[in-house]
Amino acid sequence: MQTYILLTCEPGHEKEIITHLKSLDSVIEVNGIWGKYDIFLKVHHDAESGLDKIIETLRRVENITSTYTIPILYGQGGSIDD
Amino acid sequence: MQTYILLTCEPGHEKEIITHLKSLDSVIEVNGIWGKYDIFLKVHHDAESGLDKIIETLRRVENITSTYTIPILYGQGGSIDD
């Protein structure tokens, strides 16, 4: 399963957080973004319990101030079906 | 360049919109999602003018009710650097 997560962080800490997130096994894609949120993240996990652990981990990362989790609705014919 | 777009649509039209979006050359990834938005989209385009055209096209698709565009901040070391 894959899940999208939008993060906000303390201003100025984007690059160090992105570098850290790239080192995590569960992270497929991470990018700094414009607008209401600061960082886009796509993660891979085996089941919902796996997602719990990822979010718990993210919320402990220094200077990450919020996480907005967007689960994928499988079965709607999207372009990821793993 | 790549850009993330979150879409909302009229309830019940998710699958047909996703099928349509998958047929567009600019679309890299599309999935139904849970929460405030209904569809996640990642598009590829050559420059800002290319993005204009994509958003104009999306906003004409029947039953898409809103588009929330999230440009990528290149230069922050994210995992897409094309």
Side-chain angles (χ1 to χ4, degrees):
Chain A
M1 295 175 71
Q2 298 190 357
T3 298
Y4 305 116
I5 304 174
L6 299 174
L7 304 173
T8 60
C9 69
E10 291 293 339
H13 293 272
E14 296 83 356
K15 285 188 187 179
E16 70 194 40
I17 292 170
I18 288 168
T19 301
H20 173 63
L21 295 177
K22 283 169 78 175
S23 75
L24 303 181
D25 284 344
S26 55
V27 169
I28 297 170
E29 181 174 327
V30 53
N31 275 297
I33 51 175
W34 290 14
K36 180 170 165 53
Y37 303 96
D38 301 310
I39 296 169
F40 169 90
L41 193 61
K42 185 162 67 172
V43 296
H44 174 86
H45 51 94
D46 285 336
E48 253 180 60
S49 60
L51 181 59
D52 286 0
K53 281 181 200 161
I54 290 168
I55 293 167
E56 206 182 317
T57 301
L58 291 173
R59 296 187 66 88
R60 282 189 196 147
V61 173
E62 205 171 3
N63 295 312
I64 288 180
T65 50
S66 80
T67 61
Y68 172 40
T69 303
I70 307 177
I72 292 174
L73 272 171
Y74 290 92
Q76 290 198 333
S79 59
I80 298 173
D81 290 304
D82 63 337
Chain B
M1 293 175 72
Q2 298 190 357
T3 299
Y4 304 116
I5 305 174
L6 299 174
L7 304 172
T8 59
C9 68
E10 290 293 339
H13 292 272
E14 296 84 356
K15 285 188 187 180
E16 71 194 39
I17 293 171
I18 288 168
T19 300
H20 173 64
L21 295 178
K22 282 169 77 175
S23 75
L24 303 180
D25 284 344
S26 55
V27 169
I28 297 170
E29 180 175 327
V30 53
N31 276 298
I33 50 175
W34 289 15
K36 180 170 167 51
Y37 303 96
D38 301 311
I39 296 169
F40 170 90
L41 193 62
K42 185 163 67 173
V43 297
H44 175 86
H45 51 95
D46 285 337
E48 254 180 59
S49 60
L51 181 58
D52 286 1
K53 281 181 200 163
I54 289 168
I55 292 168
E56 207 183 315
T57 302
L58 291 174
R59 296 186 65 88
R60 282 187 194 148
V61 173
E62 205 171 3
N63 295 312
I64 287 181
T65 50
S66 79
T67 60
Y68 171 40
T69 304
I70 308 178
I72 292 174
L73 272 172
Y74 290 92
Q76 291 199 331
S79 59
I80 299 172
D81 291 303
D82 62 335

